[in-house]
């Protein structure tokens, strides 16, 4: 997602750090005895590592050269690989990948709540989880706001109906 660097520099650590914590706690690295997450845990850990690398590179880019150096998330990066095949614009595919990222992180939260996974977290980890969920929601909202704010400036809408 491209937008105002001031908004993006807030969105990267807020959203990125929260998703990393959701993936790692949701993967229940510390709760390997919980059967519903058995094999999924390794996938969530890998996804968390990839997102961590993407967010670290983007944060460095925003601080040093005032722009992202990679897509906002790995799913956006993957979605863009289908540009030639689909004929869709880069922006459309980035938006699709970002939307999938938000859907997956919210689905992980829903799964943990619905499957009773939060009861299995120790109080300290539960506090981290709760903070990560709050930042995830705020980061998703900030990301959506940044995109909408950017669209206002490039829309070319003269206000005529």
């Amino acid at each position: 997602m491209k937008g105002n660097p001031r908004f993006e520099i807030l969105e990267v650590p807020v959203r990125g750090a929260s998703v990393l914590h959701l993936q790692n706690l949701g993967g229940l690295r510390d709760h390997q005895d919980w059967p519903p997450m058995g094999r999924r845990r390794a996938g969530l850990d890998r996804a968390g590592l990839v997102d961590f690398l993407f967010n670290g590179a983007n944060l460095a880019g925003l601080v040093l050269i005032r722009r992202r150096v990679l897509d906002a998330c790995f799913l956006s990066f993957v979605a863009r690989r289908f540009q030639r095949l689909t004929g869709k614009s880069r922006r459309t595919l980035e938006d699709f990948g970002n939307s999938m990222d938000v859907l997956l992180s919210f689905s992980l939260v829903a799964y943990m709540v619905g499957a009773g996974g939060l009861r299995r977290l120790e109080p300290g980890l539960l506090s981290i989880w709760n903070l990560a969920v709050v930042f995830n929601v705020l980061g998703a909202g900030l990301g959506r706001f940044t995109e909408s704010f950017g669209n206002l400036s490039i829309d070319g809408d003269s206000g005529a109906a």
Side-chain angles (χ1 to χ4, degrees):
M1 149 186 4
K2 307 287 186 247
N4 185 320
R6 288 178 291 201
F7 290 135
E8 287 185 276
I9 207 162
L10 291 174
E11 186 254 342
V12 168
V14 168
R15 175 108 174 94
S18 67
V19 169
L20 177 65
H21 283 84
L22 290 176
Q23 288 168 330
N24 286 333
L25 290 173
L28 295 174
R29 173 183 288 148
D30 298 68
H31 301 86
Q32 297 176 356
D33 60 331
W34 193 38
M37 287 305 285
R39 283 186 235 124
R40 293 181 199 104
R41 183 182 61 254
L44 287 169
D45 286 345
R46 285 187 202 108
L49 177 61
V50 170
D51 277 346
F52 175 76
L53 295 173
F54 266 65
N55 283 297
N58 281 327
L59 184 59
L62 286 165
V63 168
L64 298 173
I65 58 176
R66 295 187 46 90
R67 68 175 179 82
R68 291 179 193 261
V69 294
L70 295 171
D71 291 84
C73 67
F74 180 69
L75 290 176
S76 175
F77 174 80
V78 170
R80 279 194 315 102
R81 302 293 141 229
F82 293 96
Q83 188 170 5
R84 250 187 287 170
L85 181 66
T86 64
K88 301 292 182 188
S89 72
R90 174 185 175 117
R91 186 173 183 190
T92 297
L93 293 171
E94 283 177 353
D95 185 50
F96 179 74
N98 290 334
S99 297
M100 286 298 300
D101 186 65
V102 171
L103 175 64
L104 288 174
S105 67
F106 284 12
S107 296
L108 178 58
V109 171
Y111 179 79
M112 285 290 288
V113 170
L118 298 180
R119 290 189 304 248
R120 301 187 190 307
L121 294 176
E122 298 168 8
L125 292 177
L126 183 59
S127 294
I128 293 170
W129 170 270
N130 290 337
L131 190 60
V133 169
V134 168
F135 281 147
N136 189 37
V137 171
L138 290 175
L142 185 58
R144 184 69 185 108
F145 176 78
T146 300
E147 183 179 340
S148 295
F149 187 78
N151 289 341
L152 286 174
S153 63
I154 63 169
D155 195 7
D157 184 10
S158 63

